[in-house]
């Protein structure tokens, strides 16, 4: 049995991901990136590593964690490669492989997604306080002043809003998880 | 009159409530009929995509599926919400296998979305194309009186799903505000990134991006920045003091949602438009152009 390469996995897990194979290493993506300076590797370099089969180096790179979803690269790429979506895919794979680099971004995403699954809505105050208090107690203090200002301007709610049909939402989310699990474990049991 | 399904999104409920207030007031005044999606849920912003792809898609598609079957268009003022709705609709149209997966998940909640059933549009597009120049010019009260505005589009309205404006140097907001009597200044960084959620996870990186945007607006002589994204507004407005502190600068640039500026032009009372909710106050700049006087005299009474 031949081993599935990371490139194949990434392509399979991204809508229009097959276009990545047409990358011509022009560097437009890196040149467009507002946060390129903070990345270990530009998107172009990361893709070169992906083609070369450097699984561990790619997954442990900070590149995707520095991506802020501005879609500049995606819009400019001459080969119409969905680069931003590839960054999302690489984030998921890095977390899945347990080698993700940017713990803060992961922590924020976790707190956020938990809130959304619990209430059906995002809850900015809950997210900010939970994330900051758990991960950056010092910054929490610095940001407290900002929070108070926001509150004073009627821009912060201390209580979450819940949608009415939470059951429906949970059924959809659970089903999505089941589908993904079944796809990852073909022929396996899906509960 | 076309009616539009309306997706407000979570930010408009709380931190960007001024966007919500001004969108509703402006649309009521212009006869744009917004029908909120019943029991809408969070679109997952950018966070869900990096967390779980199918849940991200299903959460967005649930909102599309809940749109009143009589309505053929949906509009969202929040840039990230607009992008998500447009992105999932397009993905489902272009990749049938992906659409099938999403609909399998939706079916567990008794829902279904037919790819392409609704047209997803940003509100600027509705104002520009459907309301149009003639009606906007007619409705203008002249109260902007040459207010110098830097038009800041940010990323997600103009990239990558916008097929009717330039993704690098867009012009639609410039034109709408010009029709309404603003003086739109040269703002070459108009579609550059504000750093998004980096202000929360790695603030020094975001601060440099924010500083660049403020600096360019300052140099171009803008009195206010008009934006179309809650995250941009938050970064430029709420973090402006921190950025000043960090770089030893003294920027004082009020950041309004473009609908607030439109509302002032239409003579809607400032309170109704949520003006005053910004951390860097805009009232002084508006007063310098006599906007308060006109607005107070006209009142906002036709807005509930
Ligand atoms: S812009 Fe596109 S083609 Fe060019 S290097 Fe980046 S991904 Fe490859
Ligand atoms: S979408 Fe991400 S990788 Fe692409 S240019 Fe923007 S920040 Fe850089």
């Amino acid at each position: 049995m031949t081993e599935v390469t990371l490139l194949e996995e990434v392509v399979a897990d991204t809508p229009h991901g097959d276009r990545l194979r047409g990358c011509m290493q022009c560097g437009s993506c890196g040149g467009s990136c507002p946060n390129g300076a903070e990345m270990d590797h530009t998107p172009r370099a990361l893709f070169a590593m992906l083609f070369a089969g450097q699984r561990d180096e790619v997954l442990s790179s900070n590149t995707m964690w520095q991506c802020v979803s501005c879609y500049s690269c995606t819009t400019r790429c001459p080969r119409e490669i969905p680069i931003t979506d590839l960054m999302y895919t690489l984030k998921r794979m890095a977390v899945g492989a347990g080698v993700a680099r940017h713990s803060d971004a992961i922590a924020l995403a976790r707190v956020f997604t938990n809130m959304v699954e619990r209430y059906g809505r995002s809850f900015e105050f809950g997210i900010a306080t939970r994330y900051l208090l758990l991960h950056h107690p010092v910054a929490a203090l610095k940001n407290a002043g900002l929070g108070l200002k926001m509150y004073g301007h009627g821009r912060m709610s201390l209580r979450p809003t819940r949608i009415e049909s939470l059951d429906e939402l949970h059924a959809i989310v659970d089903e999505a998880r089941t589908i993904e699990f079944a796809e990852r474990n073909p022929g396996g049991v899906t509960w | 009159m076309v009616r539009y399904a309306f997706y407000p999104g979570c930010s408009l409920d709380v931190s960007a409530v001024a966007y919500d207030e001004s969108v509703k007031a402006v649309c009521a005044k212009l006869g744009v009929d917004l029908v909120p999606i019943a029991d809408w849920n969070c679109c997952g912003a950018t966070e869900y995509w990096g967390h779980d792809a199918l849940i991200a898609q299903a959460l967005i598609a649930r909102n599309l599926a809940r749109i009143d079957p009589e309505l053929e268009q949906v509009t969202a003022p929040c840039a990230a919400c607009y992008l998500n709705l447009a992105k999932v609709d397009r993905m489902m149209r272009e990749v049938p296998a992906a659409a099938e997966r999403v609909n399998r998940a939706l079916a567990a909640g008794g829902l279904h979305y037919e790819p392409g059933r609704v047209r997803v549009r940003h509100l600027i597009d509705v104002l520009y194309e459907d309301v149009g120049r003639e009606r906007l010019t007619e409705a203008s009260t002249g109260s902007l009186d040459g207010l110098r505005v830097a038009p800041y589009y940010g990323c997600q309205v103009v990239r990558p799903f916008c097929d009717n404006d330039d993704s690098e140097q867009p012009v639609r907001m410039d034109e709408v505000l010009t029709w309404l009597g603003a003086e739109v200044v040269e703002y070459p960084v108009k579609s550059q990134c504000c750093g998004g959620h980096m202000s929360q996870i790695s603030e020094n990186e975001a601060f440099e991006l924010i500083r660049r945007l403020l600096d360019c607006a300052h140099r171009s002589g803008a009195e206010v920045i008009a934006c179309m994204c809650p995250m941009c507004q938050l970064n430029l407005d709420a973090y402006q003091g921190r950025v000043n502190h960090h770089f030893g600068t003294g920027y004082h640039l009020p950041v309004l949602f473009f609908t607030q500026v439109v509302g002032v032009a239409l003579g809607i009372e400032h309170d109704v438009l949520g003006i005053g909710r910004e951390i860097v106050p805009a009232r002084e700049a508006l007063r310098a152009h006599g906007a308060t006087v006109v607005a107070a005299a006209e009142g906002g009474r036709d807005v509930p």
Side-chain angles (χ1 to χ4, degrees), chain A residues 127-166:
Chain A
I127 292 166
T129 44
R130 234 196 123 132
Y131 161 72
L132 284 173
L133 287 175
L134 283 175
H135 302 277
H136 295 280
V138 179
L141 276 176
K142 271 201 279 177
N143 277 289
L146 192 58
L148 270 176
K149 270 192 213 160
M150 293 288 283
Y151 187 72
H153 285 73
R155 293 174 60 179
M156 191 176 269
S157 162
L158 305 183
R159 262 193 235 149
T161 311
R162 277 185 181 75
I163 64 167
E164 277 166 30
S165 35
L166 265 177

Side-chain angles (χ1 to χ4, degrees), chain A:
Chain A
M1 202 171 93
T2 44
E3 200 190 324
V4 181
T5 65
L6 182 62
L7 175 64
E8 283 163 336
E9 283 181 49
V10 168
V11 163
D13 208 22
T14 314
H16 295 312
D18 51 330
R19 294 180 188 164
L20 177 58
R21 298 184 197 276
C23 171
M24 55 191 193
Q25 292 288 300
C26 69
S28 300
C29 45
S32 309
C33 185
N35 228 16
E38 308 292 335
M39 294 174 174
D40 305 337
H41 312 285
T42 62
R44 179 204 62 75
L46 196 74
F47 296 153
M49 291 157 61
L50 193 56
F51 297 139
Q54 294 173 264
R55 175 183 285 266
D56 298 345
E57 293 85 342
V58 169
L59 288 182
S60 60
S61 160
N62 79 349
T63 301
M64 49 279 199
W65 301 103
Q66 295 296 337
C67 170
V68 290
S69 309
C70 78
Y71 289 86
S72 248
C73 52
T74 300
T75 310
R76 289 180 182 173
C77 172
R79 306 311 290 257
E80 298 187 10
I81 295 167
I83 304 167
T84 317
D85 286 338
L86 289 164
M87 293 297 150
Y88 290 135
T89 302
L90 287 168
K91 281 185 187 179
R92 296 193 298 270
M93 294 197 160
V95 172
V99 295
R101 274 276 296 286
H102 208 303
S103 59
D104 285 351
I106 300 167
L108 182 66
R110 269 213 188 113
V111 175
F112 180 94
T113 52
N114 275 341
M115 295 277 173
V116 173
E117 283 177 35
R118 174 142 23 125
Y119 305 118
R121 295 275 172 88
S122 132
F123 171 37
E124 290 159 333
F125 176 72
I127 292 166
T129 44
R130 234 196 123 132
Y131 161 72
L132 284 173
L133 287 175
L134 283 175
H135 302 277
H136 295 280
V138 179
L141 276 176
K142 271 201 279 177
N143 277 289
L146 192 58
L148 270 176
K149 270 192 213 160
M150 293 288 283
Y151 187 72
H153 285 73
R155 293 174 60 179
M156 191 176 269
S157 162
L158 305 183
R159 262 193 235 149
T161 311
R162 277 185 181 75
I163 64 167
E164 277 166 30
S165 35
L166 265 177
D167 289 351
E168 177 204 285
L169 185 105
H170 289 154
I172 294 170
V173 168
D174 290 347
E175 181 63 18
R177 277 216 175 90
T178 308
I179 294 170
E180 288 182 316
F181 185 85
E183 286 169 352
R184 269 196 304 273
N185 304 276
V189 195
T190 61
W191 59 77

Side-chain angles (χ1 to χ4, degrees), chain B residues 221-244:
Chain B
E223 295 164 283
V224 305
I225 298 175
C227 68
M228 32 181 50
C229 168
M231 192 80 223
C232 297
Q233 203 281 340
L234 185 79
N235 278 345
L236 294 186
D237 176 39
Y239 285 91
Q240 196 170 129
R242 300 275 300 277
V243 169
N244 277 332

Side-chain angles (χ1 to χ4, degrees), chain B residues 171-191:
Chain B
V171 296
R172 294 200 155 192
M173 173 171 34
D174 297 44
E175 295 203 21
V176 164
L177 296 179
T178 308
W179 298 339
L180 289 167
E183 189 193 312
V184 174
V185 303
E186 273 293 308
Y187 196 49
V189 295
K190 53 167 62 165
S191 71

